[in-house]
């Protein structure tokens, strides 16, 4: 028995696929995993929502140290090896520095003035008769060696004690004894003595 054969249509003869044809689209693996994850999360939330959280006791380091036997002794710092040697070296260095003599130069003591060994010459530039002799007598009474008295011709600013080189301290002491305020080095080009102190008076002494 022979069946009739129907002519087949090519793709061009069949034309575009009609939109009323139905089909099924399978979900991708990513979508399936997402659905499973949501379901697991929902089950876990329902299972744990009625469980109360467990409180934890937090213990600080200080609490542990106070409650743990022997903690107080272990917390104290122990002396490191060699501390005693370091302290001894420091003490030795301190003692050496204390015993080291000072390197500052010591001041030379001022020479002690012996009044009886210093001569004094007195000049009168005031116009007051006998003033030089009077002041010479006062210097002698204070212990100085009164040498001579005379008149001075010239202009002097104020009553002054003049001293040659090396006799500044003696001049200061003489001025202090007689109440004279001015002490000046002697002028080597004048008639002033180069071995004795010279007093030039411009008025009476107080």
């Amino acid at each position: 028995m022979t069946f009739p054969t129907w002519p087949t249509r090519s793709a061009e003869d069949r034309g575009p696929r009609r939109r009323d044809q139905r089909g099924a689209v399978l979900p991708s693996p990513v979508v399936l995993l997402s659905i499973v994850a949501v379901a697991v999360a929902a089950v876990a939330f329902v299972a744990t929502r009625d469980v109360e959280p467990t409180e934890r006791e937090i213990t600080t380091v200080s609490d542990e140290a106070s409650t743990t036997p022997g903690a107080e002794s272990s917390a104290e710092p122990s002396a490191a090896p060699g501390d005693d040697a370091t302290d001894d070296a420091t003490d030795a260095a301190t003692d050496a520095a204390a015993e080291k003599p000072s390197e500052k130069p010591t001041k030379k003591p001022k020479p002690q003035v012996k009044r009886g060994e210093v001569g004094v010459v007195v000049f009168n530039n005031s116009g007051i008769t006998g003033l030089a002799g009077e002041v010479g007598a006062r210097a002698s009474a204070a212990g100085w060696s009164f040498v001579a008295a005379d008149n001075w011709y010239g202009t002097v600013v104020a009553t002054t004690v003049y001293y040659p080189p090396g006799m500044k301290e003696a001049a200061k002491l003489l001025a202090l004894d007689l109440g004279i305020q001015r002490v000046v080095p002697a002028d080597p080009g004048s008639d002033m003595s180069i071995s004795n102190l010279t007093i030039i008076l411009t008025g009476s002494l107080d």
Side-chain angles (χ1 to χ4, degrees), residues 83-199:
D83 283 351
D84 294 339
T86 303
D87 294 340
D88 294 341
T90 303
D91 295 340
T94 303
D95 295 340
E99 294 176 359
K100 186 177 181 181
S102 176
E103 296 180 356
K104 294 182 179 180
T106 56
K107 294 182 179 180
K108 294 181 180 180
K110 296 180 180 180
Q112 185 176 2
V113 178
K114 296 181 180 180
R115 292 179 175 86
E117 297 179 359
V118 180
V120 178
V121 179
V122 183
F123 289 96
N124 185 3
N125 190 238
S126 65
I128 301 175
T129 304
L131 182 61
E134 180 183 342
V135 173
R138 289 179 56 178
S140 180
W144 300 90
S145 177
F146 176 47
V147 176
D150 203 346
N151 293 324
W152 184 266
Y153 299 95
T155 302
V156 179
V157 177
T159 298
T160 306
V161 177
Y162 295 90
Y163 61 91
M167 299 183 67
K168 183 177 181 180
E169 296 301 323
K172 288 181 179 180
L173 183 58
L174 176 61
L176 181 64
D177 289 345
L178 300 180
I180 299 174
Q181 303 298 323
R182 192 166 181 256
V183 177
V184 178
D187 183 4
S190 64
D191 294 335
M192 296 180 185
S193 175
I194 58 174
S195 59
N196 300 313
L197 298 178
T198 300
I199 302 175

